[in-house]
């Protein structure tokens, strides 16, 4: 569904990605893990052309989207939940959900019913301003808003960032449920390697803008270099892998 081939990207003279190749097949959860500054968000954003690829290609459902303007990529069946959630704090939960809709698709009531079934807390809070929700509830709202457009590919950028453990577990169980129950294809960018690799079918480790390792979720979880670097907090070990 998504194929990234030999992608490099720069911010002026700073190279943030170098020759990155990864793919996400239909029905998969693929995770991209890496430390702060490894280039995870850059990879996610470069799908939308910011920054633009300096070399390599990005192909979505067979079409080369590498050079498309951002607003055109924004109209494809790709939804993104950005790092930091970026919900509309002063709008209600319901208004936030409605902002995520693509008007020509399906009925409003069906869309809302689907989201409230998946995230009952959003129904309870529907008339409340989004800024008054807890961090975990805001993350659920951000995911639900993205799903309102009926995407075929969901990009999640560090959904567990800054959340209490109980919400971290909830967010990852939502990711798993979306995939298992609705067949959603998901690219999950995470620093929380432990949780991400447990829900993902496959994963890639990004280090200093390059793919250092790739494998199945269970294999990466068991990999001593990954364990040392991301599960026990020492990134130096991967250099030796
Ligand atoms: P984090 O987990 O902290 O979000 P990340 O893995 O998503 O990190 P990126 O945000 O993609 O990493 O950053 C990759 C590199 O590019 C870093 O060295 C960062 O300082 C640099 N960078 C990111 N955004 C910009 C920008 N707008 N201008 C210049 N350099 C940037």
């Amino acid at each position: 569904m998504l194929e990234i081939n030999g992608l490099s990207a720069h911010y002026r003279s700073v190279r943030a990605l170098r020759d990155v190749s990864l793919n996400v097949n239909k029905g998969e959860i693929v995770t991209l893990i890496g430390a702060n500054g490894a280039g995870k968000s850059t990879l996610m954003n470069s799908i939308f052309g910011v920054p633009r690829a300096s070399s390599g290609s990005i192909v979505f459902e067979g079409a080369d989207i590498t050079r498309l303007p951002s607003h055109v990529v924004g109209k494809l069946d790709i939804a993104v939940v950005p790092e930091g959630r970026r919900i509309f704090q002063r709008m209600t939960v319901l208004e936030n959900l409605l902002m995520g809709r693509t008007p020509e698709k399906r009925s409003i009531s069906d869309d809302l019913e689907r989201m409230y079934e998946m995230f009952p807390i959003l129904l309870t809070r529907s008339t409340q301003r989004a800024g008054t929700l807890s961090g975990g509830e805001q993350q659920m709202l951000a995911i639900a808003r993205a799903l309102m457009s009926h995407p075929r590919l969901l990009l999640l950028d560090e959904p567990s960032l800054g959340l209490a453990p109980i919400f971290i577990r909830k967010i990852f169980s939502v990711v798993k449920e979306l995939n298992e129950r609705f067949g959603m294809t998901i690219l999950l960018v995470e620093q929380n390697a432990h949780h991400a690799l447990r829900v993902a079918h496959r994963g890639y480790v990004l280090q200093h803008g390059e793919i250092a390792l790739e494998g199945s979720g269970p294999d990466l979880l068991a990999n001593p270099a990954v364990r040392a670097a991301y599960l026990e907090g020492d990134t130096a070990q991967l250099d030796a892998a």
Side-chain angles (χ1 to χ4, degrees), residues 11 14 16 34-43 83 157-158 191 206:
Y11 295 104
V14 178
N36 265 329
K40 305 183 298 301
S41 297
T42 302
L43 184 128
E83 186 176 331
D157 195 352
E158 303 217 27
Q191 269 191 59
L206 193 63

Side-chain angles (χ1 to χ4, degrees), residues 84-90 96 130-131 133 138 141-142 145:
R85 313 186 251 283
R86 305 214 198 119
I87 56 164
F88 302 105
Q89 303 274 331
R90 289 169 164 273
N96 266 276
L133 301 181
Q138 290 190 14
L141 175 58
R145 185 181 61 184

Side-chain angles (χ1 to χ4, degrees), residues 184-198:
M184 182 63 67
T185 306
I186 298 171
L187 176 59
L188 170 65
V189 164
E190 259 299 338
Q191 269 191 59
N192 193 327
H194 177 71
H195 283 282
L197 291 172
R198 282 170 66 133

Side-chain angles (χ1 to χ4, degrees), residues 6-145:
L7 183 71
S8 295
H10 294 75
Y11 295 104
R12 294 177 184 268
S13 59
V14 178
R15 187 175 54 200
L17 295 175
R18 187 176 148 195
D19 197 20
V20 169
S21 296
L22 69 78
N23 69 298
V24 183
N25 299 315
K26 188 170 183 295
E28 273 189 320
I29 302 176
V30 172
T31 190
L32 180 68
I33 60 171
N36 265 329
K40 305 183 298 301
S41 297
T42 302
L43 184 128
M44 196 78 109
N45 295 336
S46 66
I47 295 170
F48 292 87
V50 187
R52 195 115 339 263
S54 36
S55 59
S57 66
I58 304 167
V59 176
F60 176 64
E61 295 197 309
D64 189 333
I65 64 168
T66 322
R67 309 265 154 225
L68 289 184
S70 307
H71 71 275
V72 178
V73 180
K75 292 202 172 108
L76 301 174
D77 287 338
I78 305 176
V80 60
V81 179
E83 186 176 331
R85 313 186 251 283
R86 305 214 198 119
I87 56 164
F88 302 105
Q89 303 274 331
R90 289 169 164 273
M91 288 181 164
T92 65
V93 166
L94 174 60
E95 287 165 344
N96 266 276
L97 289 175
L98 295 179
M99 292 295 285
R101 287 191 80 237
T102 311
E104 61 274 19
K105 290 187 182 171
R106 325 212 187 167
S107 82
I108 295 181
S109 55
D110 285 356
D111 283 350
L112 288 173
E113 202 176 301
R114 206 165 54 98
M115 288 312 127
Y116 291 149
E117 188 211 335
M118 201 176 306
F119 305 99
I121 190 70
L122 298 183
L123 176 58
T124 316
R125 303 265 191 269
S126 64
T127 57
Q128 207 170 307
R129 278 191 185 194
T132 65
L133 301 181
S134 72
E137 291 164 351
Q138 290 190 14
Q139 187 64 67
M140 284 184 233
L141 175 58
I143 295 174
R145 185 181 61 184

Side-chain angles (χ1 to χ4, degrees), residues 140-219:
M140 284 184 233
L141 175 58
I143 295 174
R145 185 181 61 184
L147 293 172
M148 288 290 281
S149 67
H150 295 268
R152 291 166 57 75
L153 175 65
L154 180 65
L155 308 178
L156 298 173
D157 195 352
E158 303 217 27
S160 75
L161 195 68
L163 299 187
I166 184 170
F167 280 116
I168 292 180
R169 281 195 292 278
K170 171 71 184 164
I171 291 298
F172 284 102
S173 82
V174 162
V175 169
K176 207 168 158 66
E177 186 187 355
L178 280 174
N179 175 259
E180 286 179 354
R181 200 165 141 209
F182 302 102
M184 182 63 67
T185 306
I186 298 171
L187 176 59
L188 170 65
V189 164
E190 259 299 338
Q191 269 191 59
N192 193 327
H194 177 71
H195 283 282
L197 291 172
R198 282 170 66 133
V199 298
H201 299 103
R202 293 187 302 110
Y204 296 83
V205 178
L206 193 63
Q207 199 174 29
H208 309 306
E210 296 182 65
I211 300 291
L213 282 174
E214 61 180 278
S216 73
D219 283 355

